[in-house]
Amino acid sequence: MSIDVATAAKVAKLARIKVEDDALPALAQEFNAILGFIEQLEEVDVEGVEPMVSVTPMALPRREDVVTDGNQQAKVLANAPDAREGFFSVPKVVE
């Protein structure tokens, strides 16, 4: 797959990145280099290789899954523009 200048301009627009017209050929070349590297990775034989999270085998620490209210209601509501009876107060939006 090859990226041309028009496609590079479209990608830049979709990503909301301002790229000058004279920089588009270089951007297209960078995209092509990235796609070339991905094509090289697709050639690697990974048959029988287990997915892994880390290069060293390790177990993640576990904690008991307990639902709490956080015990920080006052701190959370301290930044609220309007709080009443322990809740955020918002303007009515539905008539």
Side-chain angles (χ1 to χ4, degrees):
M1 179 177 205
S2 180
I3 302 292
D4 59 354
V5 174
T7 306
K10 184 175 181 180
V11 170
K13 181 180 179 184
L14 290 172
R16 298 182 189 270
I17 300 171
K18 183 178 180 180
V19 179
E20 300 297 331
D21 290 338
D22 58 338
L24 284 173
L27 181 63
Q29 188 176 8
E30 287 183 43
F31 284 153
N32 286 321
I34 292 168
L35 291 175
F37 181 70
I38 291 172
E39 288 174 0
Q40 285 180 349
L41 289 177
E42 289 177 350
E43 295 173 5
V44 175
D45 181 23
V46 293
E47 188 68 32
V49 177
E50 292 291 323
M52 55 190 233
V53 178
S54 174
V55 294
T56 58
M58 57 188 278
L60 296 175
R62 304 268 182 197
R63 64 171 170 79
E64 189 175 338
D65 191 14
V66 179
V67 178
T68 66
D69 64 355
N71 297 324
Q72 297 185 13
Q73 182 182 25
K75 288 182 182 177
V76 171
L77 293 176
N79 292 325
D82 188 10
R84 296 179 191 162
E85 299 177 18
F87 298 96
F88 290 100
S89 179
V90 296
K92 183 178 177 181
V93 292
V94 178
E95 293 293 328

